Each structure stands twice: as structure tokens, then as C-alpha cells.
């Protein structure tokens, strides 16, 4: 369907002004033109429509019946146009920052901290784009990100990658290491979790369920690193997303391998506890990618500086000893 061809906007605006004032002179003053110019616009409009809109009287003008009928619609239409223009002007005056990131990063790391940035920069509007559609290629343990044409333009993109992403300006935010964690009641038992081999009595929660090769799953790698050979890493509950596995652990369903940085709230509230302080570094890290063009904007530069500062903060309670220092403990 195509929209009907409209008469010139100047002619329609002149009709609305004349009809409202019932005066060519007052309409001309409002529109900053001469009465003759207004009269010309009205004549053009009447010629195009094929009928009169006003009846000229000795003492003034009167609206025809059809003009009286359509006038409220024109007034409403111009009011809506005015509101739209005002919104456009406000949009142009308010910086808009668009942040992209994986769902895990956005929900588990960014959102608990974003209020600090918003309070420090009340003049900036923020849009956050978190979509699983950005995870493509490779195995599920090595996702990469791509730019999707239907997604909004992203000013600063947080990527979870095994390789340093390509880009004009790339900052390493932090690497990721995982430890086994679960509901504290599971650690207390019965049966208690005293040594890693006690995991044989618990349900393993897999957050990398999309990985078909279970010999390379995160749990398989952690058990090998911890020297545990009598637990089959193929068993347990598999989830398509690490967030779901973490939520299942919070609900007491089993033990999950998760990054303390991304479970800080649950650990602080004692909804989760680290079962064994045997940390396994992943071969992936979070990077912030910004184009040189975007960096010219003050709001993008401000968020990048804030993001790097936040990522560099380290909660001592969340820093776990390296695995090598705990090998003797794991063997107990």
C-alpha cells in the first residue's frame, strides 16, 4: 500500500493557521509571511482539492462545512509533528551510548556495576545490547562474536574470545578462571565435600552443554587437572548457557564450575560457596573493542575509562590461589 499524495506542507500549514484564527492577517503574522502569500497558498490548496475551504465575507471569512470537519484532524496532526520534532531535538542533545556484550557478561558483571557509571554521567543515555545471537562459530567453548546487520550500532563491544579480537582499539578487561561452587549446604553434607573425589556423590552442572565433545568439556578438563579419574564428566545436567547452570547451583541442584568474578553477588550473599579452591584458567578472556571513530565521542571515551577501571578492581576475597599451590591439598 502506498500513502496518498499530500498537498504541499506550506499550504496545509496555512490552512490550519487561517482556520484557527479565521483571519489571513493573523495567520500571516504567525507564519512570518505576508497575507498575500497566505492567500496564495490557500488558493493553490483549494485548486488542488477541487472545492472551497473558506467563504469570503465582507467582514471576514467563514469556514465551509468540510473545512470545519477536517480542522481538528489538521490541528492534531501538526501537534504530533511538533512533538516529534521536539523529541528529535532532545535526542540530538542527549548523548546515546550503545554497549554490546554477551548475556553472561551483561547480566553477571556489567549490570551490578552500571549504576555507578550512570550516577557519574547523568547526561548520558545508555542502551545495552545483550544477545545470544552474537555467539557464533567454533565449539561452544570457543565462541566468537560478529556484527549482525539487524542489531543496533554498537559503540563499545565486550567480547569473550580465546584470541585477541581484531579492532582499532582493544583492551583486555580480565581473563577467566573457574572453580567448583555450589550451595553451602551441599558442602556440609551429608555426604560432605572434603576432597575433590567427593564430587562423585554430587550432580555435575555443565554450563557448556552445546559442546558435543564432552572429553573437552570444562568439567572434563578440571577433573583431569585435579587428578580425579574415577568421575565420569559426561554425567550430570547439561545447560545451553552458563547462566542457567549457575542458577541451578544456586537452587542446590549440584556443583558448577563458574568464574568467581561472575558469581560475586551469590558468593557475597552466601547463596553459593567455593567447594574447592582449585582454579582452572580458561583459554578465553573478556575484551573491550572500540573503533577510533567512536572514541572521538566523549561518552564513549568516558565509558571505556570507567570500564577499564572497574575491571582492574580486584576483591581480595575473590582472588583464589593458583592450582599448583593447592595440588598437595587436593591430594589429601
Amino acid at each position: 500500500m502506498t500513502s496518498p499524495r499530500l498537498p504541499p506542507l506550506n499550504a496545509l500549514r496555512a490552512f490550519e493557521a487561517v482556520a484557527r484564527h479565521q483571519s489571513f492577517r493573523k495567520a500571516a503574522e504567525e507564519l512570518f509571511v505576508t497575507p498575500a502569500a497566505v492567500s496564495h497558498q490557500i488558493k493553490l490548496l483549494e485548486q488542488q482539492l477541487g472545492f472551497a475551504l473558506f467563504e469570503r465575507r465582507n467582514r471576514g471569512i467563514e469556514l465551509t462545512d468540510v473545512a470545519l470537519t477536517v480542522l481538528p484532524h489538521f490541528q492534531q496532526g501538526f501537534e504530533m509533528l511538533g512533538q516529534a520534532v521536539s523529541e528529535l531535538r532532545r535526542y540530538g542533545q542527549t548523548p546515546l551510548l550503545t554497549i554490546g556484550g554477551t548475556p553472561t557478561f551483561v547480566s553477571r558483571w556489567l549490570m551490578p556495576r552500571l549504576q555507578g557509571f550512570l550516577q557519574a554521567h547523568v547526561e548520558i543515555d545508555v542502551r545495552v545490547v545483550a544477545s545470544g545471537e552474537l555467539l557464533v562459530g567454533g565449539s561452544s567453548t570457543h565462541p566468537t562474536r560478529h556484527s549482525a546487520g539487524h542489531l543496533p550500532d554498537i559503540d563499545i563491544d565486550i567480547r569473550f574470545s580465546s584470541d585477541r579480537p581484531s579492532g582499532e582499539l582493544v583492551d583486555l578487561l580480565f581473563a577467566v578462571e573457574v572453580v567448583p561452587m555450589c550451595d553451602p549446604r551441599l558442602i556440609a553434607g551429608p555426604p560432605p565435600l572434603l576432597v575433590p573425589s567427593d564430587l562423585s556423590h554430587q550432580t555435575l552442572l555443565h554450563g557448556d552443554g552445546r559442546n558435543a565433545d564432552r572429553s573437552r568439556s570444562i568439567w572434563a578438563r578440571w577433573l583431569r587437572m585435579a587428578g580425579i579419574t574415577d568421575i565420569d564428566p559426561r554425567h550430570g545436567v547439561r545447560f545451553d548457557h552458563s547462566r542457567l547452570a549457575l542458577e541451578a547451583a544456586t537452587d542446590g541442584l549440584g556443583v558448577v564450575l563458574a568464574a568467581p568474578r561472575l558469581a560475586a553477588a551469590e558468593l557475597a550473599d552466601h547463596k553459593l560457596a567455593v567447594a574447592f579452591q582449585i582454579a582452572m584458567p580458561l583459554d578465553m578472556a573478556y575484551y573491550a573493542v572500540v573503533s577510533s571513530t567512536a572514541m572521538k565521542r566523549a561518552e564513549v571515551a568516558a565509558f571505556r575509562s570507567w570500564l577499564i577501571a572497574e575491571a582492574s578492581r580486584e576483591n581480595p576475597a575473590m582472588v583464589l590461589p593458583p592450582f599448583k599451590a593447592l595440588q598437595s591439598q587436593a591430594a589429601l
Side-chain angles (χ1 to χ4, degrees):
M1 296 180 63
T2 58
S3 300
R5 184 177 178 180
L6 295 175
L9 183 60
N10 285 342
L12 296 176
R13 189 72 183 92
F15 161 70
E16 190 275 337
V18 172
R20 179 161 34 86
H21 291 292
Q22 295 191 21
S23 167
F24 283 82
R25 180 182 59 80
K26 291 181 179 179
E29 292 175 354
E30 177 180 311
L31 299 176
F32 299 101
V33 295
T34 64
V38 172
S39 178
H40 178 69
Q41 291 290 343
I42 296 299
K43 288 181 179 179
L44 289 177
L45 182 59
E46 290 177 331
Q47 290 174 1
Q48 184 170 349
L49 294 175
F51 51 81
L53 296 171
F54 300 96
E55 294 179 356
R56 279 72 175 176
R57 306 293 184 184
N58 292 333
R59 296 184 179 181
I61 59 174
E62 292 182 3
L63 278 70
T64 62
D65 291 340
V66 66
L68 286 170
T69 301
V70 300
L71 177 59
H73 300 297
F74 277 94
Q75 292 175 327
Q76 182 180 15
F78 280 109
E79 181 179 355
M80 294 179 65
L81 281 173
Q83 293 175 355
V85 171
S86 296
E87 290 182 12
L88 287 173
R89 287 172 175 166
R90 287 196 299 270
Y91 179 87
Q93 294 172 354
T94 304
L96 176 63
L97 172 69
T98 302
I99 307 162
T102 64
T104 296
F105 179 86
V106 169
S107 63
R108 310 297 310 180
W109 193 91
L110 179 61
M111 298 310 294
R113 296 169 171 81
L114 188 58
Q115 184 64 24
F117 176 80
L118 297 177
Q119 290 178 343
H121 299 276
V122 295
E123 76 284 1
I124 299 176
D125 287 341
V126 173
R127 173 172 53 187
V128 179
V129 179
S131 173
E133 297 176 3
L134 299 175
L135 303 179
V136 297
S139 67
S140 62
T141 57
H142 292 79
T144 56
R145 291 173 62 83
H146 71 100
S147 297
H150 63 283
L151 292 174
D153 292 334
I154 294 175
D155 298 316
I156 184 163
D157 194 14
I158 314 302
R159 304 183 186 179
F160 188 45
S161 175
S162 57
D163 302 312
R164 185 179 183 86
S166 60
E168 297 174 275
L169 187 58
V170 179
D171 297 295
L172 171 64
L173 297 180
F174 53 84
V176 176
E177 58 181 17
V178 296
V179 294
M181 57 181 70
C182 60
D183 188 313
R185 291 171 294 184
L186 292 185
I187 298 177
L193 287 173
L194 300 177
V195 293
S197 59
D198 291 333
L199 288 169
S200 61
H201 304 297
Q202 299 294 337
T203 300
L204 302 184
L205 304 177
H206 302 263
D208 57 347
R210 296 180 183 178
N211 184 6
D213 185 2
R214 303 314 296 165
S215 66
R216 290 181 51 82
S217 70
I218 295 178
W219 265 117
R221 292 157 55 194
W222 188 91
L223 290 171
R224 284 196 297 268
M225 188 190 72
I228 307 301
T229 59
D230 58 348
I231 297 178
D232 190 344
R234 295 173 298 179
H235 294 167
V237 182
R238 292 164 61 177
F239 298 90
D240 285 346
H241 204 286
S242 58
R243 287 184 304 165
L244 300 177
L246 193 62
E247 291 174 7
T250 304
D251 292 335
L253 192 59
V255 184
V256 68
L257 282 171
R261 281 180 179 264
L262 304 179
E266 288 81 0
L267 291 170
D269 293 340
H270 304 291
K271 295 179 180 179
L272 290 176
V274 175
F276 306 105
Q277 290 190 336
I278 302 176
M280 182 181 73
L282 300 184
D283 58 349
M284 304 186 71
Y286 283 101
Y287 298 87
V289 181
V290 190
S291 69
S292 58
T293 301
M295 270 297 294
K296 295 178 181 178
R297 292 161 45 204
E299 64 271 18
V300 177
F303 183 79
R304 173 177 172 262
S305 298
W306 174 86
L307 183 67
I308 294 173
E310 284 294 315
S312 66
R313 298 179 190 275
E314 196 69 65
N315 183 349
M318 294 296 103
V319 177
L320 300 172
F323 169 66
K324 290 182 179 179
L326 292 167
Q327 283 183 330
S328 59
Q329 175 181 334
L332 293 178

